[in-house]
Amino acid sequence: MRLAIIGGGEVAETLGRKWAKCGHQVFFGFIHPDSPDASAFLDRVGHGARALSAYDAAGADLIVLTVDADEAVGVTESLGDLEGRVLLDFTAGRVSSEQRTSMVEALETHALNARVVGSFQTVAWEALDDIQCGEVRPSLYLCGDEAESLCVVGALVHELGLEPILAGPLSSARLLENLRSGNAIAATVLGAAINAQRPAGLA
């Protein structure tokens, strides 16, 4: 699969290295793809990863957004028409608990024609390097409104050594974001949401 990772931080590097090692064709979206910093970044990732502009990288089959929350909307809008491609949100930060939508829901309104999936809100990126594939895997929640895109992301999550768990529609992301911050009430509600809310086409 062709994967585009938008961002050049430690999250992007970790995910890109792991997925490239699994045999995926990984592109990184940079402001300056020909810069020495981009070249050094690719050397650390290895496995044939390439650097492109964010707009060009967004032509991949699946796009992973790893930028800071305050940059996410602008970056997403700059990608143009995503034509039904899957956009996996891994932005750093979350919407205030006083707001009624999650970061990923807010982002969806700016992702033109994309199929948006939210995940990784409940895992620290630092832990990804230490995960070993085995019979017992750490769990990772996924939320989205379209079954096929959830299956695609679920397979990629499994390759990271995690066990994907469907947590309902994209609106469940507000529970996941609160869970990440240690909100005990949200954790209780999340259990009910997993059992009660399922995207169409998922058992």
Side-chain angles (χ1 to χ4, degrees), residues 87-109:
L87 176 66
L88 173 59
D89 176 46
F90 197 156
T91 52
R94 70 181 187 89
V95 173
S96 168
S97 60
E98 296 179 357
Q99 296 183 355
R100 295 188 176 185
T101 59
S102 63
M103 180 69 223
V104 65
E105 287 177 284
L107 189 63
E108 184 188 29
T109 64

Side-chain angles (χ1 to χ4, degrees), residues 122-195:
T122 56
V123 64
W125 71 264
E126 295 92 342
L128 294 176
D129 256 343
D130 298 327
I131 294 172
Q132 302 295 325
C133 295
E135 294 183 4
V136 179
R137 294 166 175 255
S139 298
L140 183 69
Y141 295 113
L142 312 178
C143 57
D145 297 327
E146 197 269 328
E148 183 180 355
S149 57
L150 285 167
C151 290
V152 170
V153 173
L156 291 171
V157 165
H158 197 267
E159 288 181 338
L160 295 175
L162 298 162
E163 187 62 33
I165 296 179
L166 302 183
L170 203 63
S171 59
S172 298
R174 38 191 108 156
L175 304 175
L176 296 176
E177 289 177 3
N178 282 328
L179 180 59
R180 182 174 185 176
S181 68
N183 190 316
I185 296 176
T188 301
V189 176
L190 178 62
I194 292 172
N195 293 322

Side-chain angles (χ1 to χ4, degrees), residues 20-39:
K21 190 176 181 179
C22 289
H24 297 290
Q25 190 174 6
V26 175
F27 302 94
F28 290 94
F30 290 113
I31 296 175
H32 303 292
D34 297 325
S35 68
D37 286 344
S39 179

Side-chain angles (χ1 to χ4, degrees), residues 108-123:
E108 184 188 29
T109 64
H110 300 275
L112 184 60
N113 294 323
R115 297 182 291 163
V116 179
V117 174
S119 187
F120 294 97
Q121 292 95 340
T122 56
V123 64

